[in-house]
Amino acid sequence: MENKNEYQAQLFSNRLKKKYKELRKWARKNRISCYRLYDRDIPEIPVSLDLYEFLPSDVTTPLEVARFLSEQNANLSANNPQTEQDIKQRTYAILYLYERPYQKEDSEEELWLSFMAQAAADVLGIPLQNIITKMRRHQKGKSQYEKNTSEGGLPRFARNDKTPQNTRHCENNKDVHHYNDKQDVLYSEDKQDFRHCEERSDEAIQSDRLPRYVEQTITGLVQEQGQIFKINLGTYLDNGLFFDHRPLRSIVRDTCSNKDVLNLFCYTGSFSVYAAQGNAKSVESVDLSNTYLTWAKENLIQNGFSDKNKYIFTRQDCIQFLQEKALAQKAKLNEEKSAGTNQRMTASQNKDLISKAKTYDLIILDPPTFSNSKNTTNVLDINKQWPQLVKDCLNILNPKGVLYFSTNSERLKFDQTQIPPKTISGLSVNVKDITNQTIPNDYAQKIPHHCWKITVE
């Protein structure tokens, strides 16, 4: 058994060395401090490995990040060994074990995974305790955003019982249950791979609970292309930032200037941060989870965006939110059409409905595959409900508006004929598959999601 484990650990190590050499240069050049290094490249080694390079604890603003990166890159170019050592101490990795198609004794799995964790630590040159292991299982009915608890499941072999230097510790928010946030699991998914499904998956993947000995979480700040994000490596299955949508975030930032932006199923608000950085006129972030909505708000504030009138956070079921906005917009259009006639509506309920009408220039729709949050009566199954969600989004877009619809579900069958050719206001609908444009280098051999750019004019 150990000979087989050693052999597979060597295969894993060889693959990591090659990819780490390639991706590390790419990441530094593009100001990326966290990325996917391995994703089930070898069938016998069904794991993914995500790397996180935390910022020093005294670097907390975008300006400080810019200065820090400039100094760090200069030191690296000068082959300063202390700089390299400092980076290693601030680097962590999440080793996700995917559920195998066959049964394996926990003791055997633990031993096998310990070999893989050691191989990863050796290649990355980081302490073994900086490798955190988690498991993804195919389960139904719960969200991957649910907290990891302290009972059951395979252990996290690289134990982190203390919050290391240069990271920050924050108390767990007890308000987390089943969340209607992005990338849940079956929540049913497959995203990003599992979406982690980073991160999402198509069958609804859910983490096995973290072990008895995980007493503290590792939290801190990372930077991505100049933006700062809070990361939590222990409390939840996913950690606050989905790597696969990095290119789409950049597209949003580069095209949203002076536009009203709506971020649905906003999770921790990474799209909202990029939109704010892109000088959006306004950014509304909608999510059912108070925990993640608070996290999103913290991310925007961390990046210097605190104007409450410009950056709006709405806690609501996104299905209900879209239904209300679409109905309000329809009522408003009917009111405008009847303005010159004797049929003008006067009922107070219609006036209240019309008052809720609002349209946007850019909408991000990146929902989980499945969600059955206890906080709403709505059950989301994106494979069945995507046409209605897309239709409702299009009906609240301004002329020349853009909807980015993305899914990690491998089962969703996108059929353009299920989308009306015109919106309720008479705007023509155009659809373009931009999936290839939105896949980052660290997912080059994978298709973690599909994405469509849908415009109205």
Side-chain angles (χ1 to χ4, degrees), residues 35 47 63 65 70 78 83 96 117 179 200 243-244 256 259 294 310 320 326 339 350 364 373 407:
Y35 51 94
V47 300
L63 181 58
V65 167
S70 177
T83 298
Y96 291 100
Y179 291 125
R200 302 189 197 179
F243 303 163
D244 66 313
C256 71
K259 294 181 179 179
T294 297
K310 190 172 182 179
Q320 181 182 0
N350 287 324
I364 301 108
S373 171
T407 179

Side-chain angles (χ1 to χ4, degrees), residues 376-390:
T376 178
T377 57
N378 289 320
V379 175
L380 171 65
D381 182 345
I382 196 61
N383 297 321
K384 298 178 181 179
Q385 295 169 264
W386 71 266
Q388 187 61 51
L389 290 175
V390 167

Side-chain angles (χ1 to χ4, degrees), residues 215-272:
E215 299 171 356
Q216 291 182 316
T217 61
I218 297 170
T219 63
L221 301 178
V222 299
Q223 73 82 27
E224 180 185 89
Q225 302 180 127
Q227 281 71 238
I228 301 173
F229 297 99
K230 172 186 170 184
I231 297 295
N232 183 329
L233 297 187
T235 308
Y236 312 107
L237 176 60
D238 287 309
N239 309 306
L241 188 64
F242 294 123
F243 303 163
D244 66 313
H245 273 313
R246 197 183 303 114
L248 184 56
R249 288 194 284 268
S250 295
I251 291 173
V252 168
R253 179 188 58 193
D254 297 343
T255 59
C256 71
S257 180
N258 202 36
K259 294 181 179 179
D260 291 312
V261 177
L262 173 63
N263 183 12
L264 296 165
F265 302 95
C266 74
Y267 187 41
T268 60
S270 59
F271 276 108
S272 299

Side-chain angles (χ1 to χ4, degrees), residues 96-106 109-110 134-144 152-155 184-190 193-194 197 201-210 237:
Y96 291 100
L97 172 62
Y98 288 79
E99 186 176 19
R100 299 178 189 271
Y102 55 87
Q103 291 291 329
K104 190 172 183 178
E105 293 293 331
D106 278 0
E109 199 73 279
E110 291 173 15
K134 297 183 181 182
M135 171 170 265
R136 291 182 177 279
R137 293 186 184 278
H138 300 285
Q139 296 180 353
K140 295 182 179 181
K142 291 188 178 181
S143 160
Q144 72 188 53
L154 291 172
D184 330 268
V185 172
L186 245 49
Y187 225 83
S188 170
E189 289 202 59
D190 177 71
D193 355 66
F194 280 141
C197 259
S201 194
D202 143 31
E203 307 173 34
I205 304 161
Q206 171 132 11
S207 150
D208 198 17
R209 296 177 177 179
L210 280 180
L237 176 60

Side-chain angles (χ1 to χ4, degrees), residues 47 73 88 125 134 143 157 190 192 198 202-203 215 220 234 241 245 260 344 386 395 403 415 418 424 435 442:
V47 300
N73 290 336
K88 299 297 185 183
K134 297 183 181 182
S143 160
F157 301 100
D190 177 71
Q192 231 139 272
E198 192 170 6
D202 143 31
E203 307 173 34
E215 299 171 356
L241 188 64
H245 273 313
D260 291 312
R344 187 177 182 85
W386 71 266
N395 284 334
L403 165 65
D415 180 0
Q418 295 190 54
I424 55 175
T435 299
D442 44 334

Side-chain angles (χ1 to χ4, degrees), residues 324 327-329 331 348-357:
E324 291 180 356
L327 286 173
Q329 181 63 14
S348 60
Q349 60 182 18
N350 287 324
K351 289 184 178 180
D352 290 340
L353 181 61
I354 292 173
S355 69
K356 297 178 181 179

Side-chain angles (χ1 to χ4, degrees), residues 14-28:
N14 292 341
R15 183 62 175 168
L16 284 183
K17 288 177 183 177
K18 180 180 179 180
K19 296 194 70 174
Y20 187 41
K21 181 179 180 180
E22 297 173 353
L23 290 175
R24 189 182 185 195
K25 293 180 180 179
W26 161 79
R28 292 247 183 265

